[in-house]
Amino acid sequence: MVYCPTITSLEHGRTAFRRHALEAFNRYVSRYDLGDERIALKVAHTFEVAALCDEIARGECMPPHDVELAWLCGLLHDIGRFEQLRRWGTFSDAASCSHAALGVDILAEELARYTADDAWANIVRKAVAYHSELRLPEGLDARERLFCTITRDADKVDILRVFSESSCSAVLGIEPAGFVNGEISAGALRGFRERRCLARAERQAALDGLVGAICLVFELESPAAREALRRRGYLERLLRSPFGMEPRFASPQTQRYWDAICADLVE
């Protein structure tokens, strides 16, 4: 049975629609190795982003049906990550494929398990397709852009949590020694100082992905997303202990760059 978005009331928690969607999602991810830290990381990230989409939509005073749709966009935003890891053994799009495009391909078969509403399906596909793009494309209508923005903001907020709580091996594909000996490029630092997100091509050095995660805070569009980040304290935790480690680097230049980033953000 496929639930259509006909919710007449919305409680904080699981509606029948959400219970059904979670069952479908759990069936999908059960195909993968849940004992793999990287898979477990993405499952947890998925649930956190869905919850943040809910919170942001509520914070923007959206009606109950739209809160449900925002939550669904969050639930499915990274569905391509699991197959990406299975096929290529990495979460790096540069070393494999666009996980967002792969997610859209997967939804060609999977999306009907979550909604039978064509308008909802269109929104979900757009949110999945563009959630990790540096910029949203031209041509989206106002409603499409709204849900894409909520999904992108929720993803950015939780990425800061992931970088503070998960291992550098699972996130960046480097071991702790690689973290200590890693470098931050001048290009990544320049992007930080310009208060913008980093393009994939700008993330050249081993620790540029960490700087890129920090830069996500500069382009949160929703006030509700910024408030969610403030309440959770993810940025402060990340600056204090990225990957749960003390940020002490072998390279004096890397240490100077990191100290400058921290000093700038705690002012």
Side-chain angles (χ1 to χ4, degrees), residues 66 74 113 137 140-141 149 152 210 225 245 248:
D66 285 351
R113 304 180 193 278
L140 296 176
D141 64 33
T149 296
R152 287 161 61 86
L210 175 58
M245 302 171 64
R248 290 289 176 260

Side-chain angles (χ1 to χ4, degrees), residues 212-242:
I214 293 169
C215 288
L216 296 176
V217 302
F218 300 138
E219 297 190 17
L220 291 173
E221 296 189 39
S222 163
R226 292 192 290 271
E227 175 60 18
L229 177 63
R230 186 197 64 78
R231 282 199 307 271
R232 286 164 172 78
Y234 291 158
L235 177 60
E236 294 79 6
R237 193 190 315 171
L238 176 56
L239 296 175
R240 186 171 58 250
S241 55

Side-chain angles (χ1 to χ4, degrees), residues 81 84 91-95 97-99 131-135 155-156 159 163 171-172 183-192 196-216 219:
R81 284 296 197 190
Q84 178 188 44
F91 286 140
S92 168
D93 284 12
C97 73
S98 163
H99 74 280
H131 79 273
S132 60
E133 292 294 312
L134 189 62
R135 300 284 179 270
D155 189 35
K156 289 172 182 175
I159 285 172
F163 272 72
V171 178
L172 293 182
E183 295 184 350
I184 296 171
S185 71
L189 184 66
R190 181 168 55 252
F192 169 83
R196 59 174 175 80
C197 290
L198 301 183
R200 188 171 295 123
E202 293 179 288
R203 301 194 291 266
Q204 296 289 331
L207 299 182
D208 285 357
L210 175 58
V211 178
I214 293 169
C215 288
L216 296 176
E219 297 190 17

Side-chain angles (χ1 to χ4, degrees), residues 42-103:
K42 284 302 174 185
V43 171
H45 173 64
T46 291
F47 292 153
E48 291 292 338
V49 171
L52 278 161
C53 283
D54 174 292
E55 183 176 334
I56 293 168
R58 289 173 185 272
E60 298 297 329
C61 300
M62 295 171 69
H65 280 64
D66 285 351
V67 174
E68 292 287 70
L69 178 52
W71 177 86
L72 182 61
C73 290
L75 184 71
L76 297 178
H77 84 285
D78 253 358
I79 196 167
R81 284 296 197 190
F82 305 98
E83 188 64 15
Q84 178 188 44
L85 185 64
R86 187 190 70 80
R87 294 185 190 180
W88 288 279
T90 182
F91 286 140
S92 168
D93 284 12
S96 55
C97 73
S98 163
H99 74 280
L102 182 57

